[in-house]
Amino acid sequence: MHLYKTSQQILLAVLLFFLTQSTNAQKKISFDEGWKFHFGHATDPSKDFKYGVANIFSKTGGAFETAIDPGFVDSGWTNLNLPHDWAVSLPFDHSQNLDVESHGFKKVGGLYPETSIGWYRKHFKIAKADSGNRFQLQFDGIFRNARIWVNGIYTGNNLSGYLGVNYDITDFINYEKENVIVVRVDATQYEGWFYEGAGIYRHVWLKQLNNLHIANDGIFVSANVKGKDAIVSVETSIENKGFKGANGILLTYLTDRNGNKIASAAPQNLILSSRSDLRIKQNLTLSNAHLWDLNDPYLYRVVSEIKVADQLIDKQTNKFGVRTLRFDAKEGFFLNGKHVKILGTNNHQDHAGIGSALPDAMQYYRIDLLKKMGSNAYRTSHNAPTPELLDACDSIGMLVLDEQRLLNSSNEYMDQFERLIKRDRNHPSIFMWSIGNEEGWIQTTSIGKRIAQTLLAKQLELDPTRTSTYAADLPNFFKGVNEVIPVRGFNYRHMNVADYHRDHPNQPVMGTEMGSTVTTRGIYEKDSIRAYVPDQDITAPWWASRAEEWWKLAATNNYWIGGFVWTGFDYRGEPTPYRWPNVNSHFGIMDVCGFPKNIYYYYQSWWTDKDVLHISPHWNWKGKEGRPIDVWVNSNADNVELFLNGKSFGKKEMPRNSHLQWSVNYEAGKLEAVAYKKGKRLTSSVETTNEASNILIESSKTILQADGKDVSVINISILDNAGREVPDANRLIEFSLTGDAKIIGVGNGDPSSHEADICAEGKWKRSSFNGKCQVIIQSGKSNSTIHFEASSNGISKASLELNSH
């Protein structure tokens, strides 16, 4: 039975926003906190709050006896804050359905009606004094097919699981009593063939605006470099949503990263009739422009203000970078006039323990890991990324290939493409758009060609400063999309790139997906029972290649712009080459936690100038005494000599873009490599360890912002009594936490682990996998000393103190 309450009985169980009486600059208020959640049901209306049988569209606001009704009692629903991915907490199901398998065997999708509909409700209040303003509700990402109501009034339907949506809810606001947002999320239909999560997994915002304001995503900044200077073009779209005409002044100026004003445009008079819009283009000269670059990602700010009678009524600040992009069919890609080989990775958006609902700090953590490996580019496979990922790439210095979900020119997908470009085009990290991926039904047909032409025309209309590619899983084949795409993208088929370039020498080429080597961290034998593959560059599916096979071609031929490895991180879903009990992919250069696999050091050797000398495997092979062990060394040194317990196994010259191998009969002790790089001596070793004795805790940071959002990534390693990491330690570890913080997820990188990523409060635990596991801690809102402890039976526990301010 469902309970309802009258307006006199309504109790506020939410965060109230007391907005002062003002027509000042735009306010963008986080609406992540204070939500209620409950599962619905995809096939049983009685378990879905009568959705589907109650006539909710017969009268505006008429939603009586449903969860849409503002008076519906939701006190029994789960309290939570956003972002929220409900799928990460669901159990695994050994389904034979290939779509369920590709989504990581989680019980979400059309086969699971009881866990594929989610209802969200939020109560909030707006002061009557603010009734002269406009209000917009912005969702950055919901998976998927979300229907939204405000105070029982239907507001809209966003089908995309990846692109956000913005609604003007001004007309629906109550100023005398509380307001209620209701969102019904329908995740029964998949969009991809990989883990996608479910729910409101990105941020939500409430925007308070004057009737005269800058349009949503209404500023486009670009720069034309002229010698040492740059002409910065700023296009500003302005709306008057009022019922009377409005006059004002637009002020546009540039600042450096410290906020110092460095250039200003002439003030522009604004005269808008009621319910009209206007677009203004202004040019500003930036002297001695500081270029945005991979190693110096300098960001300027463009500040746009609207004033009426000297009163500021809207203000937006957008970061932007000044740089040049050039693509040459023979010589490759040039950033700021310098040749840059694309050293890219493809990535999905989930992370161990937290699924798709990543706190903002996790985006920076992951991009930083990729950059340390040597990567300089990121493909948002195969969908619009969260805006915070682009912010991280802008500030850290990582190029981005920003991808449209589908090659489709219908109204729905043209609208999605337009929203994508308008939202993202000010990010200097984006160097190219992708209009789609592996559309096997149409990519070689005239239909595919026409769709591509329509998308390309829209891209040039909205952003003439960039070009596009399409990720085609095709060999030397031209018909269809490839006829019109400016940059030919190759998904695999690396052996066909040279022939395609020979036949089409004026079309730049790039590896949009390369590699797909499958490896399991710390495993050195195929194991079809546990579904593991060796942690070396030796195994790839039929369509793919080993790292050395594709990279040797890309590295030595300038007409290769470069390539994007599939993938930087393992991800939930697409278990390959095995199926159950695998629930994760093996494709990553790092596992789902970001722990490096051995192939990481291959790419780091040839993608950086760092001194790399890495030996694998580990040297714990009890029971294999006297038997040969295949030893690999990844390095960018000139030569390497291998020693076991002081005995040399010979010196070898290091082939460029390759690795070295020795066969060494096992005996316990110390395996050591000595290398020389341009005369500099490098050493590295692995040793036979004793049994597990201690726990090592390392954190991404120990000082957190007390904002309820910041996170520290805690990496756990198992050590012996000599302080050496035990590489084959698989032990259950329990975690405890005191202070104003919480654990939000745990993981270990085991692609066949069925342990819970989300545990009950006070019962957090995870097994280490080959010596490692991970805990993600999120701060509270008060200044606090946070005490974290990790313990395991039979070994010494360890602790760490963090502080939030």
Side-chain angles (χ1 to χ4, degrees):
M1 185 172 97
H2 304 310
L3 300 177
Y4 296 84
K5 52 189 176 180
T6 67
S7 60
Q8 291 79 17
Q9 296 171 317
I10 290 173
L11 298 176
L12 299 183
V14 296
L15 178 67
L16 303 181
F17 292 95
F18 295 100
L19 306 178
T20 60
Q21 182 176 8
S22 173
T23 54
N24 284 346
Q26 177 199 88
K27 295 179 181 178
K28 186 178 180 181
I29 305 162
S30 172
F31 250 35
D32 285 350
E33 297 184 357
W35 289 81
K36 298 276 192 173
F37 175 78
H38 202 290
F39 279 119
H41 201 286
T43 59
D44 186 346
S46 69
K47 297 178 181 179
D48 198 31
F49 309 103
K50 296 189 177 181
Y51 187 85
V53 293
N55 192 352
I56 58 174
F57 291 112
S58 62
K59 300 290 182 180
T60 297
F64 185 65
E65 295 189 343
T66 74
I68 301 164
D69 189 338
F72 176 83
V73 178
D74 56 22
S75 58
W77 287 25
T78 300
N79 297 313
L80 56 80
N81 295 332
L82 306 177
H84 175 237
D85 173 6
W86 82 66
V88 72
S89 300
L90 296 177
F92 297 101
D93 180 49
H94 187 187
S95 171
Q96 299 301 310
N97 181 277
L98 292 179
D99 285 314
V100 174
E101 174 187 300
S102 72
H103 282 74
F105 293 104
K106 284 289 187 176
K107 297 184 73 172
V108 66
L111 294 177
Y112 306 100
E114 70 282 1
T115 51
S116 297
I117 302 292
W119 288 86
Y120 294 84
R121 303 182 96 242
K122 179 178 173 63
H123 303 247
F124 67 102
K125 201 166 187 179
I126 300 292
K128 187 176 182 181
D130 291 313
S131 60
N133 291 290
R134 301 207 72 79
F135 294 92
Q136 294 177 355
L137 185 62
Q138 178 176 313
F139 295 89
D140 283 351
I142 308 173
F143 194 88
R144 68 174 293 279
N145 191 10
R147 294 185 183 273
I148 296 103
W149 293 263
V150 175
N151 295 328
I153 299 174
Y154 182 64
T155 305
N157 175 210
N158 185 31
L159 290 173
S160 173
Y162 298 99
L163 271 167
V165 66
N166 182 288
Y167 298 110
D168 189 320
I169 61 171
T170 307
D171 293 348
F172 312 149
I173 294 291
N174 290 319
Y175 300 99
E176 303 288 346
K177 57 183 180 179
E178 73 171 2
N179 299 273
V180 183
I181 301 167
V182 178
V183 183
R184 183 182 186 268
V185 182
D186 183 347
T188 55
Q189 178 63 58
Y190 303 127
E191 283 196 57
W193 51 97
F194 40 84
Y195 179 87
E196 299 182 276
I200 309 177
Y201 69 97
R202 294 181 184 167
H203 295 305
V204 179
W205 309 91
L206 181 71
K207 293 181 179 181
Q208 178 182 338
L209 305 163
N210 189 278
N211 280 325
L212 180 65
H213 58 262
I214 299 167
N216 185 55
D217 295 327
I219 296 176
F220 177 33
V221 189
S222 59
N224 185 14
V225 176
K226 301 285 188 181
K228 292 184 178 181
D229 302 335
I231 305 300
V232 178
S233 174
V234 183
E235 293 184 20
T236 308
S237 296
I238 298 167
E239 297 176 333
N240 176 22
K241 292 294 186 180
F243 295 108
K244 296 180 180 179
N247 300 337
I249 296 175
L250 172 66
L251 302 174
T252 303
Y253 57 93
L254 309 181
T255 76
D256 62 18
R257 61 165 45 146
N258 298 315
N260 301 308
K261 187 181 293 188
I262 53 178
S264 298
Q268 291 282 319
N269 290 323
L270 305 176
I271 303 174
L272 284 86
S273 59
S274 65
R275 313 293 291 179
S276 67
D277 54 58
L278 177 68
R279 186 168 69 176
I280 293 175
K281 183 173 181 177
Q282 297 166 293
N283 291 326
L284 300 89
T285 299
L286 183 60
S287 300
N288 296 313
H290 191 154
L291 301 185
W292 184 94
D293 213 328
L294 294 170
N295 296 318
D296 183 15
Y298 190 89
L299 296 171
Y300 289 99
R301 279 75 172 157
V302 59
V303 183
S304 307
E305 298 179 348
I306 298 178
K307 290 186 175 182
V308 174
D310 290 328
Q311 183 177 18
L312 182 67
I313 64 167
D314 199 0
K315 180 178 180 179
Q316 288 192 23
T317 300
N318 285 273
K319 295 179 181 180
F320 74 99
V322 177
R323 80 284 184 271
T324 65
L325 310 172
R326 182 167 69 87
F327 298 89
D328 186 278
K330 296 181 176 62
E331 297 300 321
F333 169 64
F334 293 81
L335 176 64
N336 300 327
K338 299 176 182 178
H339 183 264
V340 173
K341 184 75 75 172
I342 294 299
L343 315 173
T345 63
N346 290 270
N347 293 284
H348 290 309
Q349 62 182 4
D350 61 302
H351 188 89
I354 50 179
S356 295
L358 273 66
D360 295 352
M362 289 302 301
Q363 306 294 348
Y364 290 82
Y365 179 78
R366 285 163 60 90
I367 295 300
D368 188 58
L369 289 179
L370 292 168
K371 183 137 187 175
K372 287 176 178 175
M373 181 190 76
S375 179
N376 63 16
Y378 185 109
R379 179 177 170 221
T380 66
S381 313
H382 301 287
N383 47 261
T386 186
E388 290 72 28
L389 179 134
L390 299 177
D391 291 340
C393 292
D394 288 345
S395 62
I396 292 174
M398 179 75 67
L399 295 167
V400 176
L401 176 58
D402 201 347
E403 188 154 280
Q404 163 82 337
R405 176 71 280 279
L406 284 182
L407 182 76
N408 190 318
S409 56
S410 66
N411 287 345
E412 170 64 31
Y413 285 98
M414 289 302 292
D415 177 65
Q416 289 189 24
F417 193 46
E418 181 166 346
R419 283 150 58 195
L420 172 71
I421 293 176
K422 284 185 175 180
R423 188 197 71 170
D424 294 351
R425 60 189 175 178
N426 290 335
H427 289 278
S429 56
I430 297 173
F431 79 116
M432 190 185 297
W433 305 101
S434 170
I435 63 170
N437 173 77
E438 294 184 359
E439 296 280 2
W441 299 106
I442 60 172
Q443 64 185 356
T444 61
T445 69
S446 62
I447 291 175
K449 177 182 175 181
R450 295 196 299 271
I451 291 173
Q453 287 174 312
T454 300
L455 288 166
L456 291 171
K458 176 59 70 173
Q459 179 253 296
L460 288 174
E461 172 193 332
L462 298 174
D463 178 17
T465 71
R466 296 179 179 90
T467 190
S468 288
T469 189
Y470 165 77
D473 53 336
L474 294 169
N476 184 8
F477 193 92
F478 190 61
K479 184 180 178 182
V481 175
N482 287 339
E483 294 179 66
V484 295
I485 200 69
V487 177
R488 165 70 207 269
F490 274 87
N491 280 15
Y492 315 107
R493 317 300 196 271
H494 61 285
M495 296 302 294
N496 301 115
V497 175
D499 289 344
Y500 188 92
H501 174 65
R502 178 200 63 210
D503 296 343
H504 309 284
N506 296 319
Q507 186 180 30
V509 295
M510 177 173 66
T512 37
E513 279 181 34
M514 290 286 124
S516 275
T517 313
V518 286
T519 59
T520 309
R521 179 178 58 78
I523 297 293
Y524 294 95
E525 295 178 338
K526 286 187 177 181
D527 186 338
S528 59
I529 302 300
R530 293 184 297 174
Y532 297 148
V533 285
D535 190 9
Q536 300 290 18
D537 186 19
I538 58 176
T539 310
W542 64 265
W543 69 84
S545 71
R546 296 182 297 109
E548 289 191 26
E549 291 174 329
W550 85 269
W551 176 245
K552 286 180 180 178
L553 295 175
T556 56
N557 291 286
N558 282 345
Y559 61 81
W560 277 72
I561 289 173
F564 293 83
V565 181
W566 190 268
T567 52
F569 298 93
D570 279 346
Y571 53 93
R572 173 122 321 146
E574 279 200 293
T576 307
Y578 301 111
R579 302 178 69 182
W580 184 271
N582 252 176
V583 294
N584 281 9
S585 79
H586 292 270
F587 295 117
I589 300 170
M590 293 175 274
D591 67 19
V592 290
C593 296
F595 297 135
K597 306 180 190 179
N598 288 322
I599 201 171
Y600 172 102
Y601 300 97
Y602 171 77
Y603 284 112
Q604 190 180 56
S605 294
W606 307 115
W607 285 8
T608 75
D609 293 325
K610 296 178 181 180
D611 294 334
V612 181
L613 182 60
H614 175 74
I615 306 172
S616 59
H618 59 71
W619 210 240
N620 283 14
W621 298 106
K622 186 177 180 180
K624 292 191 176 184
E625 288 78 6
R627 294 166 58 182
I629 302 295
D630 191 22
V631 176
W632 287 47
V633 172
N634 288 111
S635 180
N636 51 14
D638 301 319
N639 54 67
V640 182
E641 187 172 4
L642 189 70
F643 298 85
L644 176 59
N645 296 328
K647 177 185 175 182
S648 174
F649 281 76
K651 179 187 290 187
K652 297 184 179 183
E653 297 299 309
M654 175 60 71
R656 298 298 87 183
N657 302 305
S658 189
H659 73 282
L660 294 174
Q661 283 181 252
W662 286 263
S663 180
V664 180
N665 291 337
Y666 177 69
E667 64 178 60
K670 181 178 181 180
L671 188 67
E672 183 177 25
V674 177
Y676 286 87
K677 180 182 178 184
K678 297 179 181 178
K680 181 180 179 180
R681 188 175 188 265
L682 311 176
T683 61
S684 180
S685 64
V686 293
E687 298 182 34
T688 307
T689 70
N690 299 322
E691 295 297 317
S693 176
N694 300 298
I695 296 173
L696 174 67
I697 302 174
E698 298 175 291
S699 64
S700 61
K701 54 187 171 186
T702 56
I703 305 296
L704 288 84
Q705 297 181 57
D707 59 1
K709 298 176 182 293
D710 200 8
V711 298
S712 181
V713 180
I714 308 297
N715 291 328
I716 308 292
S717 300
I718 307 299
L719 308 181
D720 70 2
N721 56 4
R724 297 170 298 200
E725 185 172 318
V726 182
D728 51 356
N730 300 311
R731 303 180 61 92
L732 182 64
I733 305 176
E734 297 180 334
F735 311 109
S736 63
L737 191 69
T738 60
D740 189 13
K742 61 182 179 181
I743 298 173
I744 59 172
V746 292
N748 63 9
D750 180 355
S752 295
S753 174
H754 296 177
E755 294 176 281
D757 293 329
I758 309 291
C759 303
E761 196 62 39
K763 296 183 179 180
W764 286 93
K765 59 186 177 180
R766 192 62 179 242
S767 296
S768 63
F769 177 61
N770 292 329
K772 292 183 177 295
C773 63
Q774 187 174 85
V775 182
I776 301 174
I777 292 175
Q778 188 167 55
S779 66
K781 287 191 168 184
S782 63
N783 294 344
S784 178
T785 298
I786 302 160
H787 184 80
F788 172 77
E789 190 169 280
S791 61
S792 181
N793 289 335
I795 64 175
S796 299
K797 64 184 178 182
S799 63
L800 176 72
E801 280 200 352
L802 305 95
N803 290 281
S804 60
H805 300 287

